Amino acid sequence: MAKFDPITKIKPVVRALSAYTLDPIETPIKINQNENPYDLPEPIKREVEERVRSRAWSRYPAFVPSTLLERLAAFSGWRADGILAGNGSNELIQALLMVTVGPGTRVLLVEPTFTLYRLQASALGGDVRSVALDAQLSFDTEAVETAAISGAADVVVLCSPNNPTGCVYGLEALERLLERFDGLVVVDEAYRDFSGQDAARLLPRYRNLVLLRTFSKAMAMGGMRVGYMLADPAVAVEVAKAKLPYNLNIVSMAAAEVAIERHDDLLRPIVESIVLERERLIVEIGTIDGLEPFPSSANFFLVRCSKIPPADLFARLVADGILVRDVSRYPMLADFLRITVGTPEENDSLLRSLRSAMSDRNRERWRSL
Ligand code: PMP
């Protein structure tokens, strides 16, 4: 038996952190993780199966996944030597922070946002600072600029569209920040396909811009774990040092290649229909007394519940077989739930359930349960 407590060998900054977790609740309608409600189209799956089957599984993937990088370059309009592919964009967030953040590095976030940035930057000993979203839950771009410049941050991490609010950091404001701020600006664009905004066109002019993207949302490949980073080639060389060799397996790599090839005919229409459904849901939920949906440029949106605690509404939806995300413990979001856009049928069920839950008669009944 060891005479010491091994936990004492874990870094104190890590022991002080709470892990990134998710409740393992299972329901027929799952709209809690901002996934694509449609599976990857069958022709893509079949083509991936064929490509993987005809290749030796005993051999490692290519050391540099050049075919995928070339496809990503054509897809994004950025140069292949400035692109890294990752095992989900989470891996690239970690690699990027690993090569930029050490004890005392000033990392500026705009919160509430995706919790992984604070977790990872803190675990690396970074000095994490935060600017709040404004009262409408949008970016206060002047406050971000002031905090970045006067607070002399080293790295700013923005999520645009932001998870969990869906607000976008406008390109003009982003350009102003890149111009005035002598530090790295990382923009996590996991949900950009639902927004119509594309920051990649700023890459040729700003060497301090790093973009992170994923195949997990619009590309309907959450289970495959593929993400990518677009950056200045010299920055990409450095971030690659923190990425594990062969981080992408041959199945994920083939899936990403085929998804890009079939994006325009098979995936783009899905994204367009999700955006239409988002707008329909926001209008419909806006007519329900006691619920206030917030505008969003992503495949999810926030709903303020003014008449009942969000945890109660969350539980009521679970009872109806619908899982949303309770974000009421995030800063500024004590009254909110986050809803991912589902298929039209799932959205209809959600609307029925919300209407029933919020009707005065029912609200009294189920609250007393
Ligand atoms: N960035 C944001 C803002 C996200 O919300 C998520 C997923 N929840 C990710 C990155 C992770 O994406 P991936 O599946 O590519 O690791």
Side-chain angles (χ1 to χ4, degrees), residues 324-341:
V324 299
R325 183 70 71 99
D326 181 357
V327 290
S328 58
R329 276 190 294 265
Y330 281 59
M332 300 176 82
L333 303 183
D335 298 333
F336 287 86
L337 293 178
R338 189 193 70 191
I339 294 177
T340 304
V341 180

PDB file of all heavy atoms in Angstrom, residues 324-341:
ATOM      1  N   VAL A 324     -33.645  18.215 -23.164  1.00  0.00           N
ATOM      2  CA  VAL A 324     -33.007  19.463 -23.574  1.00  0.00           C
ATOM      3  C   VAL A 324     -31.836  19.700 -22.620  1.00  0.00           C
ATOM      4  O   VAL A 324     -31.525  18.832 -21.802  1.00  0.00           O
ATOM      5  CB  VAL A 324     -34.011  20.648 -23.553  1.00  0.00           C
ATOM      6  CG1 VAL A 324     -35.162  20.394 -24.511  1.00  0.00           C
ATOM      7  CG2 VAL A 324     -34.520  20.930 -22.148  1.00  0.00           C
ATOM      8  N   ARG A 325     -31.167  20.853 -22.714  1.00  0.00           N
ATOM      9  CA  ARG A 325     -30.057  21.107 -21.797  1.00  0.00           C
ATOM     10  C   ARG A 325     -30.463  22.161 -20.767  1.00  0.00           C
ATOM     11  O   ARG A 325     -30.892  23.255 -21.136  1.00  0.00           O
ATOM     12  CB  ARG A 325     -28.831  21.599 -22.590  1.00  0.00           C
ATOM     13  CG  ARG A 325     -27.572  21.833 -21.728  1.00  0.00           C
ATOM     14  CD  ARG A 325     -26.954  20.556 -21.207  1.00  0.00           C
ATOM     15  NE  ARG A 325     -26.323  19.813 -22.283  1.00  0.00           N
ATOM     16  CZ  ARG A 325     -25.027  19.819 -22.561  1.00  0.00           C
ATOM     17  NH1 ARG A 325     -24.200  20.497 -21.813  1.00  0.00           N
ATOM     18  NH2 ARG A 325     -24.556  19.119 -23.570  1.00  0.00           N
ATOM     19  N   ASP A 326     -30.301  21.801 -19.505  1.00  0.00           N
ATOM     20  CA  ASP A 326     -30.539  22.758 -18.434  1.00  0.00           C
ATOM     21  C   ASP A 326     -29.251  23.561 -18.245  1.00  0.00           C
ATOM     22  O   ASP A 326     -28.255  23.030 -17.757  1.00  0.00           O
ATOM     23  CB  ASP A 326     -30.907  22.000 -17.151  1.00  0.00           C
ATOM     24  CG  ASP A 326     -31.192  22.928 -15.988  1.00  0.00           C
ATOM     25  OD1 ASP A 326     -31.040  24.161 -16.156  1.00  0.00           O
ATOM     26  OD2 ASP A 326     -31.549  22.433 -14.900  1.00  0.00           O
ATOM     27  N   VAL A 327     -29.267  24.809 -18.676  1.00  0.00           N
ATOM     28  CA  VAL A 327     -28.045  25.634 -18.575  1.00  0.00           C
ATOM     29  C   VAL A 327     -28.156  26.633 -17.419  1.00  0.00           C
ATOM     30  O   VAL A 327     -27.414  27.605 -17.370  1.00  0.00           O
ATOM     31  CB  VAL A 327     -27.763  26.388 -19.904  1.00  0.00           C
ATOM     32  CG1 VAL A 327     -27.329  25.441 -20.988  1.00  0.00           C
ATOM     33  CG2 VAL A 327     -28.977  27.215 -20.347  1.00  0.00           C
ATOM     34  N   SER A 328     -29.084  26.364 -16.499  1.00  0.00           N
ATOM     35  CA  SER A 328     -29.366  27.372 -15.472  1.00  0.00           C
ATOM     36  C   SER A 328     -28.217  27.579 -14.482  1.00  0.00           C
ATOM     37  O   SER A 328     -28.238  28.531 -13.713  1.00  0.00           O
ATOM     38  CB  SER A 328     -30.664  27.024 -14.732  1.00  0.00           C
ATOM     39  OG  SER A 328     -30.557  25.747 -14.148  1.00  0.00           O
ATOM     40  N   ARG A 329     -27.206  26.721 -14.533  1.00  0.00           N
ATOM     41  CA  ARG A 329     -26.067  26.949 -13.644  1.00  0.00           C
ATOM     42  C   ARG A 329     -24.950  27.764 -14.317  1.00  0.00           C
ATOM     43  O   ARG A 329     -23.968  28.114 -13.697  1.00  0.00           O
ATOM     44  CB  ARG A 329     -25.525  25.619 -13.117  1.00  0.00           C
ATOM     45  CG  ARG A 329     -26.326  25.150 -11.890  1.00  0.00           C
ATOM     46  CD  ARG A 329     -25.668  23.978 -11.206  1.00  0.00           C
ATOM     47  NE  ARG A 329     -25.703  22.818 -12.087  1.00  0.00           N
ATOM     48  CZ  ARG A 329     -26.648  21.870 -12.039  1.00  0.00           C
ATOM     49  NH1 ARG A 329     -27.592  21.941 -11.144  1.00  0.00           N
ATOM     50  NH2 ARG A 329     -26.626  20.851 -12.859  1.00  0.00           N
ATOM     51  N   TYR A 330     -25.118  28.067 -15.621  1.00  0.00           N
ATOM     52  CA  TYR A 330     -24.141  28.927 -16.297  1.00  0.00           C
ATOM     53  C   TYR A 330     -24.303  30.358 -15.772  1.00  0.00           C
ATOM     54  O   TYR A 330     -25.426  30.758 -15.428  1.00  0.00           O
ATOM     55  CB  TYR A 330     -24.400  28.965 -17.809  1.00  0.00           C
ATOM     56  CG  TYR A 330     -23.907  27.787 -18.605  1.00  0.00           C
ATOM     57  CD1 TYR A 330     -24.343  26.499 -18.354  1.00  0.00           C
ATOM     58  CD2 TYR A 330     -23.020  27.981 -19.660  1.00  0.00           C
ATOM     59  CE1 TYR A 330     -23.915  25.434 -19.123  1.00  0.00           C
ATOM     60  CE2 TYR A 330     -22.581  26.923 -20.433  1.00  0.00           C
ATOM     61  CZ  TYR A 330     -23.034  25.650 -20.162  1.00  0.00           C
ATOM     62  OH  TYR A 330     -22.608  24.604 -20.931  1.00  0.00           O
ATOM     63  N   PRO A 331     -23.209  31.150 -15.776  1.00  0.00           N
ATOM     64  CA  PRO A 331     -23.367  32.547 -15.385  1.00  0.00           C
ATOM     65  C   PRO A 331     -24.401  33.229 -16.284  1.00  0.00           C
ATOM     66  O   PRO A 331     -24.450  32.951 -17.489  1.00  0.00           O
ATOM     67  CB  PRO A 331     -21.965  33.154 -15.601  1.00  0.00           C
ATOM     68  CG  PRO A 331     -21.168  32.128 -16.354  1.00  0.00           C
ATOM     69  CD  PRO A 331     -21.829  30.805 -16.131  1.00  0.00           C
ATOM     70  N   MET A 332     -25.226  34.080 -15.739  1.00  0.00           N
ATOM     71  CA  MET A 332     -26.264  34.881 -16.417  1.00  0.00           C
ATOM     72  C   MET A 332     -27.471  34.069 -16.887  1.00  0.00           C
ATOM     73  O   MET A 332     -28.419  34.632 -17.402  1.00  0.00           O
ATOM     74  CB  MET A 332     -25.717  35.634 -17.664  1.00  0.00           C
ATOM     75  CG  MET A 332     -24.606  36.595 -17.384  1.00  0.00           C
ATOM     76  SD  MET A 332     -23.962  37.319 -18.929  1.00  0.00           S
ATOM     77  CE  MET A 332     -25.150  38.620 -19.211  1.00  0.00           C
ATOM     78  N   LEU A 333     -27.436  32.749 -16.774  1.00  0.00           N
ATOM     79  CA  LEU A 333     -28.491  31.951 -17.405  1.00  0.00           C
ATOM     80  C   LEU A 333     -29.381  31.212 -16.404  1.00  0.00           C
ATOM     81  O   LEU A 333     -29.933  30.150 -16.721  1.00  0.00           O
ATOM     82  CB  LEU A 333     -27.877  30.957 -18.399  1.00  0.00           C
ATOM     83  CG  LEU A 333     -27.018  31.560 -19.520  1.00  0.00           C
ATOM     84  CD1 LEU A 333     -26.541  30.473 -20.485  1.00  0.00           C
ATOM     85  CD2 LEU A 333     -27.792  32.629 -20.284  1.00  0.00           C
ATOM     86  N   ALA A 334     -29.539  31.784 -15.212  1.00  0.00           N
ATOM     87  CA  ALA A 334     -30.306  31.101 -14.161  1.00  0.00           C
ATOM     88  C   ALA A 334     -31.729  30.733 -14.603  1.00  0.00           C
ATOM     89  O   ALA A 334     -32.305  29.773 -14.091  1.00  0.00           O
ATOM     90  CB  ALA A 334     -30.360  31.968 -12.909  1.00  0.00           C
ATOM     91  N   ASP A 335     -32.295  31.493 -15.569  1.00  0.00           N
ATOM     92  CA  ASP A 335     -33.689  31.242 -15.975  1.00  0.00           C
ATOM     93  C   ASP A 335     -33.802  30.519 -17.309  1.00  0.00           C
ATOM     94  O   ASP A 335     -34.861  30.573 -17.947  1.00  0.00           O
ATOM     95  CB  ASP A 335     -34.434  32.586 -16.132  1.00  0.00           C
ATOM     96  CG  ASP A 335     -34.499  33.350 -14.845  1.00  0.00           C
ATOM     97  OD1 ASP A 335     -34.460  32.695 -13.780  1.00  0.00           O
ATOM     98  OD2 ASP A 335     -34.556  34.588 -14.893  1.00  0.00           O
ATOM     99  N   PHE A 336     -32.729  29.880 -17.771  1.00  0.00           N
ATOM    100  CA  PHE A 336     -32.741  29.422 -19.161  1.00  0.00           C
ATOM    101  C   PHE A 336     -32.581  27.907 -19.346  1.00  0.00           C
ATOM    102  O   PHE A 336     -31.896  27.232 -18.583  1.00  0.00           O
ATOM    103  CB  PHE A 336     -31.590  30.086 -19.925  1.00  0.00           C
ATOM    104  CG  PHE A 336     -31.811  31.544 -20.213  1.00  0.00           C
ATOM    105  CD1 PHE A 336     -31.458  32.512 -19.280  1.00  0.00           C
ATOM    106  CD2 PHE A 336     -32.377  31.950 -21.413  1.00  0.00           C
ATOM    107  CE1 PHE A 336     -31.656  33.865 -19.543  1.00  0.00           C
ATOM    108  CE2 PHE A 336     -32.576  33.299 -21.681  1.00  0.00           C
ATOM    109  CZ  PHE A 336     -32.213  34.251 -20.755  1.00  0.00           C
ATOM    110  N   LEU A 337     -33.215  27.446 -20.427  1.00  0.00           N
ATOM    111  CA  LEU A 337     -32.925  26.115 -20.984  1.00  0.00           C
ATOM    112  C   LEU A 337     -32.357  26.327 -22.380  1.00  0.00           C
ATOM    113  O   LEU A 337     -32.667  27.321 -23.043  1.00  0.00           O
ATOM    114  CB  LEU A 337     -34.198  25.285 -21.101  1.00  0.00           C
ATOM    115  CG  LEU A 337     -34.889  24.861 -19.813  1.00  0.00           C
ATOM    116  CD1 LEU A 337     -36.175  24.092 -20.144  1.00  0.00           C
ATOM    117  CD2 LEU A 337     -33.966  23.987 -18.953  1.00  0.00           C
ATOM    118  N   ARG A 338     -31.532  25.378 -22.836  1.00  0.00           N
ATOM    119  CA  ARG A 338     -31.032  25.433 -24.222  1.00  0.00           C
ATOM    120  C   ARG A 338     -31.657  24.290 -25.013  1.00  0.00           C
ATOM    121  O   ARG A 338     -31.678  23.144 -24.538  1.00  0.00           O
ATOM    122  CB  ARG A 338     -29.506  25.295 -24.247  1.00  0.00           C
ATOM    123  CG  ARG A 338     -28.912  25.575 -25.628  1.00  0.00           C
ATOM    124  CD  ARG A 338     -27.460  25.127 -25.712  1.00  0.00           C
ATOM    125  NE  ARG A 338     -27.371  23.667 -25.691  1.00  0.00           N
ATOM    126  CZ  ARG A 338     -26.235  22.994 -25.536  1.00  0.00           C
ATOM    127  NH1 ARG A 338     -25.100  23.635 -25.366  1.00  0.00           N
ATOM    128  NH2 ARG A 338     -26.234  21.671 -25.539  1.00  0.00           N
ATOM    129  N   ILE A 339     -32.166  24.618 -26.176  1.00  0.00           N
ATOM    130  CA  ILE A 339     -32.867  23.629 -27.004  1.00  0.00           C
ATOM    131  C   ILE A 339     -32.150  23.489 -28.339  1.00  0.00           C
ATOM    132  O   ILE A 339     -31.888  24.486 -29.023  1.00  0.00           O
ATOM    133  CB  ILE A 339     -34.333  24.063 -27.226  1.00  0.00           C
ATOM    134  CG1 ILE A 339     -35.080  24.040 -25.881  1.00  0.00           C
ATOM    135  CG2 ILE A 339     -35.013  23.192 -28.259  1.00  0.00           C
ATOM    136  CD1 ILE A 339     -36.512  24.518 -25.957  1.00  0.00           C
ATOM    137  N   THR A 340     -31.830  22.261 -28.717  1.00  0.00           N
ATOM    138  CA  THR A 340     -31.246  22.013 -30.038  1.00  0.00           C
ATOM    139  C   THR A 340     -32.381  21.774 -31.031  1.00  0.00           C
ATOM    140  O   THR A 340     -33.370  21.111 -30.694  1.00  0.00           O
ATOM    141  CB  THR A 340     -30.344  20.759 -30.000  1.00  0.00           C
ATOM    142  OG1 THR A 340     -29.356  20.942 -28.993  1.00  0.00           O
ATOM    143  CG2 THR A 340     -29.658  20.535 -31.347  1.00  0.00           C
ATOM    144  N   VAL A 341     -32.231  22.287 -32.239  1.00  0.00           N
ATOM    145  CA  VAL A 341     -33.256  22.088 -33.267  1.00  0.00           C
ATOM    146  C   VAL A 341     -33.255  20.615 -33.688  1.00  0.00           C
ATOM    147  O   VAL A 341     -32.195  20.056 -34.012  1.00  0.00           O
ATOM    148  CB  VAL A 341     -32.970  22.990 -34.490  1.00  0.00           C
ATOM    149  CG1 VAL A 341     -34.038  22.783 -35.568  1.00  0.00           C
ATOM    150  CG2 VAL A 341     -32.903  24.458 -34.067  1.00  0.00           C
TER     151      VAL A 341
END
